[in-house]
Amino acid sequence: MDFEAFFQSELDGLRKDGRYRYFAELERLAGKFPAALKHGSSGCARVTVWCSNDYLGMGQHPAVLKAMHEALERFGAGAGGTRNIAGTSPEHVALEAELAALHGKEAALLFGSGYVANWTTLATLAARVPGMVVVSDSANHASMIEGIRHSRAERRIFAHNDATDLRRQLAAIAPGRPKLVAFESVYSMDGDIAPIGNFLDIAEEFDALTYCDEVHAVGLYGAGGGGIAEREGLADRIGVIEGTLAKAFGVIGGYIAGSTALCDFVRSFASGFIFTTSLPPAIAAGALAAVRHVRRAGALRERLHERVATVRQRLDAAGVPHMRNPSHIVPVPVGDAALCKRISDLLVQEHGIYVQPINYPTVPRGTERLRITPSPLHSDADIEHLAVALSAIWSALDLRRAA
């Protein structure tokens, strides 16, 4: 087989469909978020980033940088091994304790990323519990889907955020079989929020373990930033809460929080935890500083949601469509991959605004969009510039008439 020809043919197909993904080389400017320098063939240009998952700008917060610098001098660069082989530092232990407290749980367990946390935990629980059936929301993240698939456990899919269908799926499973219900709190592309209370009521009725991915909610909701579950007073009823350190906390890594026995079970049986090098201590130290700061930063969360509301109001006034939802994510629908890329390019080239195009397979074909994520650090002038730029592009491309 001519492997090179096959690879090139597949890549050419992506380009033809307008779905080929180009990396934007962005130089984040410490202390100046959301400003960045975009590198290109003609040099560097200053841009305002409107699509970062560093939702609160904590990746450049002085307390986080200070903690990382100090830990780097104290511990050196790497962890030195897996958690079992010389890779557990005081920073890892303290961070796990802080994350457990964030969610009101007995324990927490760190992973290299949120993707790995989901994949490893779901795969381990579903594979190791005899006869487990996993009931999964149809819109769950790829990391959850892959973990469930890898477990080879029986799985059932319920309609997105549909409590009635969840009940139907659970009722069809033999009463004595172990069951796990997996869902997210905030869904990152549409920005909708799961009816967690309804899900928990149903799961408890059928004696099912619950697994909630709070990746796009931790730090942003709840009095202490514990996510939607904390905001709604439901965290104590959820079996496993999964989160990330790479979004609202601005660093890298993932984790689960739950009972001591559950976390120890995953720690003891999950190959994705046992056989991988642990996070560098400096990363753990930075994440610890971020979590501690964010737990106290209620005003920062209030500012974020005020900025989101302001962006939505300004887009409405400018006649730019956006998908309605109750979260901090502002999707602007386009519906065509090539057009979405063109709009993104025009924003950078003519207006100094960076918003990446979101295409299949991240979202279904025909639902391509720009995904805007306001932060507490976007100014009124930034918001006005974004709205004016999008309005100008919508007019130039005659998108209002097309809609």
Side-chain angles (χ1 to χ4, degrees):
M1 180 176 181
D2 187 341
F3 290 104
E4 291 299 311
F6 173 78
F7 299 150
Q8 195 59 57
S9 175
E10 292 295 297
L11 293 170
D12 290 344
L14 290 178
R15 292 187 178 92
K16 182 179 179 181
D17 291 344
R19 296 190 294 113
Y20 184 80
R21 300 186 179 204
Y22 297 89
F23 286 162
E25 186 179 345
L26 297 173
E27 181 180 337
R28 284 160 61 88
L29 303 173
K32 297 180 180 179
F33 183 82
L37 293 179
K38 184 178 184 300
H39 292 250
S41 58
S42 58
C44 295
R46 191 180 179 99
V47 297
T48 302
V49 178
W50 274 100
C51 56
S52 175
N53 283 341
D54 187 357
Y55 291 133
L56 300 176
M58 290 303 298
Q60 301 180 28
H61 193 281
V64 175
L65 301 185
K66 181 175 184 290
M68 293 184 72
H69 279 297
E70 290 177 352
L72 186 64
E73 291 297 325
R74 180 182 175 191
F75 298 106
T82 67
R83 290 292 297 275
N84 296 311
I85 305 175
T88 296
S89 73
E91 303 304 299
H92 295 94
V93 175
L95 177 55
E96 286 175 336
E98 191 73 25
L99 291 167
L102 172 69
H103 295 291
K105 297 296 186 183
E106 293 177 347
L109 189 66
L110 287 171
F111 295 85
S113 70
Y115 192 106
V116 174
N118 267 336
W119 194 98
T120 299
T121 304
L122 284 166
T124 302
L125 291 174
R128 298 286 308 191
V129 176
M132 178 75 89
V133 181
V134 182
V135 186
S136 176
D137 189 289
S138 63
N140 277 343
H141 191 265
S143 58
M144 302 174 76
I145 295 168
E146 289 297 327
I148 295 165
R149 181 180 296 145
H150 181 75
S151 75
R152 298 187 179 180
E154 181 181 340
R155 59 186 183 274
R156 292 172 174 264
I157 310 300
F158 67 95
H160 178 51
N161 277 349
D162 189 330
T164 300
D165 195 42
L166 172 61
R167 177 186 291 279
R168 182 180 69 82
Q169 296 285 356
L170 286 170
I173 301 169
R177 292 192 66 180
K179 295 169 279 290
L180 186 153
V181 177
F183 55 90
E184 300 181 42
S185 59
V186 176
Y187 285 83
S188 63
M189 289 299 118
D190 287 354
D192 52 336
I193 295 177
I196 298 176
N198 292 341
F199 287 176
L200 294 177
D201 290 342
I202 295 166
E204 288 164 1
E205 178 184 345
F206 289 92
D207 194 28
L209 178 66
T210 47
Y211 184 105
C212 180
D213 176 323
E214 288 258 43
V215 159
H216 291 275
V218 289
L220 309 181
Y221 302 88
I228 299 296
E230 184 200 23
R231 186 188 72 178
E232 298 182 6
L234 300 170
D236 62 317
R237 296 171 59 191
I238 299 173
V240 186
I241 294 176
E242 185 267 349
T244 185
L245 303 169
K247 294 182 171 59
F249 299 128
V251 193
I252 188 66
Y255 64 90
I256 59 168
S259 70
T260 299
L262 186 146
C263 290
D264 199 13
F265 178 85
V266 174
R267 181 189 74 85
S268 299
F269 290 103
S271 63
F273 177 85
I274 295 169
F275 296 107
T276 189
T277 300
S278 63
L279 290 170
I283 295 294
L288 177 60
V291 175
R292 286 175 173 169
H293 179 84
V294 169
R295 289 186 69 188
R296 301 189 301 268
L300 194 63
R301 280 183 284 283
E302 292 175 6
R303 171 71 173 176
L304 168 72
H305 296 297
E306 181 276 325
R307 295 285 81 185
V308 172
T310 301
V311 168
R312 289 187 178 278
Q313 292 166 3
R314 191 63 192 87
L315 293 180
D316 284 339
V320 177
H322 56 95
M323 297 168 61
R324 307 290 171 175
N325 63 53
S327 77
H328 60 286
I329 295 164
V330 184
V332 174
V334 176
D336 176 88
L339 181 59
C340 200
K341 176 67 166 60
R342 186 179 178 192
I343 294 170
S344 177
D345 289 343
L346 288 172
L347 283 170
V348 169
Q349 295 163 5
E350 298 184 2
H351 302 280
I353 291 171
Y354 178 66
V355 185
Q356 92 278 24
I358 305 292
N359 299 324
Y360 177 84
T362 306
V363 296
R365 287 184 174 90
T367 69
E368 292 82 3
R369 72 206 49 191
L370 303 174
R371 178 180 177 271
I372 294 170
T373 53
S375 80
L377 302 178
H378 283 97
S379 67
D380 287 341
D382 291 332
I383 294 173
E384 181 65 16
H385 183 51
L386 174 70
V388 169
L390 285 171
S391 181
I393 292 171
W394 250 246
S395 295
L397 298 181
D398 207 14
L399 296 179
R400 292 186 179 86
R401 187 172 68 178

